[in-house]
DNA sequence: CGCACTCTTGAGGGAGCTCAACATTTGTGG
DNA sequence: CCACAAATGTTGAGCTCCCTCAAGAGTGCG
């Protein structure tokens, strides 16, 4: 079920709609022409791709103020409403203009999408189930604010498909984290983080390397294999 | 070792350098200020992040004409030369302008980076080692052209850190693919694909869903939980 | 109140990791 | 150019973690 709340016309004439989708609604499918990109006002959206064997890879969860569906040509992912959700739907052309309605440069929208993809890679890069689940919980807590309990509106199946695990392993791991006193459960969707430090160390927050790679030697010398390519593409 | 080949000045005054890095050189590190973005002329570059337990997540291999290091503020990844490499180094400001030197919109650069990240997620999303390695080989063959043997300039360790496996499993799996007649090995770095169709089915090329999600019901009706957020952010 | 859906938990097996040894390739200095 | 050393790659054996199969418990909705 989709509801139109409001339609707004930009100076340029592009039309931005404010829409409400009910839980479970598909916003767009993999392969659909990417006519719009989306910004969440409230609720949660998931994006996913399907592998040939039928299994689903969830590529991201998106919260209020997050942006998704930023793609050129066709959507490479499917987007669905995890909860009832209100979104602001922007025509894709709008990206071409210098800035979005907030005055932020259009690139920031893409960079946020890129950051989201990197977050997903980071999660999947963890070795064990405990690592991944802990990293997932930490990421959500940091995103939403861990203050007095984290809501997990998505199902265990969603989490499993996001982390590359089975629903069973996710459930077992979460139970185990609770048993070890790192979190407390108040129903499956309501998690309270008791030991953030412990969770973070389990999550393996990346080692912060913050120094500059520094000096470069700028020495003019003859090249080797790349000269041909070089000549093939002369520059002004 | 870094060598400067040429320095080119754009109309806008920004300076693009053509540089050669020898094998193994670090181009930039995680946390470095992102002053440049890079375009490969020849050779191969890898990007990676490190987890707290010391293990490395390789987030991408980049070939000629690929773009990497496109980030806002600081680099979130480390970039290293897999082989000797010649790159064109662009000041980050250049992104702000409407187009790069090729006349392509700056967004395409970001979108290519995003596509690269999605490719990485897709690889990590595969269930078994055979799936991942097959998908990896197929991706490289498609990228480079499978014509008469695929070169794998990266080490087994690189592949393992990219696919979330160990070097042992990667080696075993590649040997196994050869034993099953899907590929032929001519030294560790030189692979010839014998049965592309078989590899692709192992890789689990994503199910192509290509229909449009179609009609939307646009019904004006009162909202629920999002009204507050709505009012909190009035639009022109 | 009962059905459907989600979540939890247990038992058993298999894929991939660890540990270990050996083979091959690459790089270096005589 | 060869000899040797170092790095990289291959392969085996055993074990661990997660997946599979299975059953039961909790929750929400008509």
């Amino acid at each position: 079920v989709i509801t139109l709340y409001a339609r707004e016309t930009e100076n340029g004439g592009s039309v931005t709609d404010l829409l409400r989708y009910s839980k479970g609604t598909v916003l767009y499918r993999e392969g659909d022409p990417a006519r719009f990109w989306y910004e969440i006002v409230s609720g949660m959206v998931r994006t996913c791709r399907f592998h040939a064997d039928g299994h689903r890879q969830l590529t991201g969860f998106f919260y209020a103020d997050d942006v998704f569906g930023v793609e050129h040509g066709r959507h490479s992912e499917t987007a669905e409403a995890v909860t009832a959700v209100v979104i602001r739907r922007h025509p894709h052309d709008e990206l071409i203009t210098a800035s979005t309605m907030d005055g932020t440069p259009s690139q920031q929208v893409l960079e946020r999408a890129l950051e989201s993809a990197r977050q997903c890679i980071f999660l999947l890069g963890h070795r064990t189930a405990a690592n991944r689940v802990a990293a997932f919980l930490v990421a959500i807590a940091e995103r939403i604010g861990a203050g007095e309990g984290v809501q997990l509106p998505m199902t265990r199946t969603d989490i499993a498909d996001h982390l590359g695990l089975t629903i069973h392993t996710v459930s077992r791991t979460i139970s185990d984290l609770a048993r070890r006193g790192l979190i407390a459960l108040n129903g499956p969707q309501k998690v309270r983080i008791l030991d953030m430090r412990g969770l973070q160390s389990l999550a393996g927050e990346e080692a912060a390397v913050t120094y500059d790679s520094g000096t470069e030697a700028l020495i003019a010398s003859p090249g080797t294999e790349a000269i041909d390519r070089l000549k093939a593409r002369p520059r002004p």
Side-chain angles (χ1 to χ4, degrees), chain A:
Chain A
V1 181
I2 303 171
T3 307
L4 175 64
Y5 275 142
R7 169 161 286 176
E8 296 138 359
T9 307
E10 297 285 323
N11 299 333
S14 65
V15 174
T16 297
D17 283 336
L18 196 60
L19 299 164
R20 181 179 188 277
Y21 298 79
S22 65
K23 186 173 172 178
T25 310
V26 174
L27 306 212
Y28 55 81
R29 285 202 164 80
E30 195 175 333
D32 284 357
R35 290 191 294 259
F36 307 100
W37 59 275
Y38 303 82
E39 191 185 11
I40 297 185
V41 175
S42 75
M44 177 180 281
V45 167
R46 63 174 174 249
T47 55
C48 59
R49 283 173 85 173
F50 291 90
H51 289 242
D53 61 6
H55 97 256
R56 192 176 62 149
Q57 177 62 50
L58 248 156
T59 52
F61 292 109
F62 298 89
Y63 301 86
D65 297 328
D66 281 345
V67 161
F68 64 93
V70 185
E71 272 157 307
H72 193 73
R74 291 181 171 274
H75 287 298
S76 65
E77 307 170 320
T78 295
E80 296 164 340
V82 174
T83 63
V85 69
V86 175
I87 58 103
R88 199 167 272 128
R89 193 181 69 177
H90 304 265
H92 194 272
D93 323 332
E94 203 180 300
L95 261 185
I96 303 295
T97 67
S99 65
T100 68
M101 64 292 157
D102 292 315
T104 55
S106 70
Q107 293 165 204
Q108 282 198 1
V109 171
L110 274 165
E111 278 165 2
R112 276 157 75 185
L114 195 52
E115 180 48 35
S116 156
R118 291 207 170 107
Q119 170 64 19
C120 183
I121 293 172
F122 183 65
L123 281 178
L124 288 171
H126 287 268
R127 295 200 166 293
T128 69
N131 290 164
R132 291 188 199 174
V133 171
F136 175 71
L137 291 175
V138 168
I140 287 191
E142 284 174 352
R143 181 73 186 73
I144 293 299
E148 303 311 304
V150 178
Q151 273 285 349
L152 300 178
M154 71 292 283
T155 67
R156 294 287 189 263
T157 304
D158 285 341
I159 299 175
D161 289 347
H162 188 44
L163 301 180
L165 302 168
T166 62
I167 176 178
H168 312 278
T169 301
V170 169
S171 182
R172 259 187 271 269
T173 305
I174 289 179
S175 299
D176 197 50
L177 292 178
R179 223 168 287 129
R180 290 157 66 180
L182 293 165
I183 60 175
L185 290 171
N186 189 11
Q189 319 282 38
K190 202 158 183 70
V191 174
R192 162 178 290 226
I193 294 179
L194 299 178
D195 180 2
M196 179 57 103
R197 199 58 65 92
L199 262 193
Q200 283 171 333
S201 82
L202 241 184
E205 293 284 80
E206 58 206 310
V209 182
T210 45
Y211 63 98
D212 194 338
S213 54
T215 54
E216 296 171 357
L218 292 177
I219 305 161
S221 81
T224 53
E225 79 280 11
I227 299 297
D228 294 340
R229 295 194 58 87
L230 222 63
K231 290 180 180 161
R233 201 178 171 193
R235 305 263 300 127

